[in-house]
Amino acid sequence: MRWLPYGADAALIECDSLAETGAVRATVASAGIPDVVEVVPAARTVLVSVRPDSKALAEIRALVEAADLAHPPAGESREHVLDVRYDGEDLELVARTAGITVEDVIALHTSAFYAVAFTGFAPGFGYLTGLPEPLRQSRLDSARTRVPAGSVAIAGEFAGVYPRASPGGWRLLGHTDTVLFDPRAERPALLAPGDGVRFRRAP
């Protein structure tokens, strides 16, 4: 991994894999270092910002370099269960691409446990790892100009839920009524890195 200065009071840690990124995030977040202001993971980086004139960056680097990143701390996390109506426009395409039935797609999607690796793209959008191998499919060749809020989708190794209507090229499996982002709430984004997610078929 590489450590890059990011202004006077932050460092950008470049990681070799998504798994390493998650381990670094968990290690720093679980340490409870008082001067850490924010830990922001992405697909291959972790941005750590600290209070001005703090010595915390040196402490964090020593902590991470000494950590067993193959077995990161579990830390505190929440688990969310999202009810899904499996009526997505791409459900049959996903089944056909995987060589399985629509019912198999739904069974695979609901049987997996997902972890929020990082957030981005839009407020409240979580990139979820844990997608079963047959469902790991490419984005659509042509993105839609509008994907409805609550759309449950997959692309590559990730699953996700569109928190608001927006353009998008992920394959749509269904829809949930769960609110993923509410700017008026005390905690606007439902999902945070490290949280767990399960999808449940709605009646």
Side-chain angles (χ1 to χ4, degrees):
M1 75 182 64
R2 296 176 63 205
W3 292 73
L4 304 174
Y6 203 85
D9 304 303
L12 186 70
I13 307 167
E14 292 187 339
C15 302
D16 294 329
S17 66
L18 183 61
E20 186 175 74
T21 299
V24 170
R25 182 210 63 80
T27 298
V28 176
S30 299
I33 299 172
D35 286 333
V36 172
V37 174
E38 195 170 20
V39 181
V40 184
R44 294 290 185 275
T45 61
V46 180
L47 176 67
V48 181
S49 61
V50 300
R51 300 187 192 284
D53 302 318
S54 166
K55 304 295 185 184
L57 286 178
E59 183 179 353
I60 291 165
R61 181 162 187 165
L63 172 73
V64 171
E65 291 181 346
D68 178 7
L69 297 181
H71 302 89
E76 294 184 9
S77 65
R78 301 168 299 161
E79 183 173 321
H80 311 272
V81 178
L82 308 184
D83 289 327
V84 180
R85 294 189 300 277
Y86 285 93
D87 55 2
E89 294 180 49
D90 302 313
L91 189 58
E92 291 188 2
L93 171 63
V94 170
R96 189 164 61 250
T97 302
I100 56 180
T101 67
V102 166
E103 286 300 318
D104 289 336
V105 170
I106 297 170
L108 284 169
H109 192 251
T110 55
S111 66
F113 177 79
Y114 302 84
V116 182
F118 57 97
T119 59
F121 166 63
F125 187 95
Y127 288 79
L128 312 180
T129 58
L131 188 66
E133 189 66 39
L135 303 185
R136 298 185 182 187
Q137 302 179 12
S138 63
R139 294 166 55 95
L140 297 173
D141 293 336
S142 179
R144 293 182 171 92
T145 57
R146 186 181 185 278
V147 175
S151 293
V152 177
I154 57 174
E157 63 185 301
F158 297 111
V161 181
Y162 285 79
R164 62 184 183 187
S166 66
W170 289 31
R171 300 187 181 207
L172 306 183
L173 300 184
H175 181 273
T176 180
D177 291 329
T178 302
V179 176
L180 276 292
F181 185 77
D182 180 358
R184 298 163 298 182
E186 181 178 349
R187 188 169 184 166
L190 178 68
L191 305 180
D195 283 0
V197 176
R198 293 186 185 277
F199 294 104
R200 180 172 59 192
R201 188 175 192 172

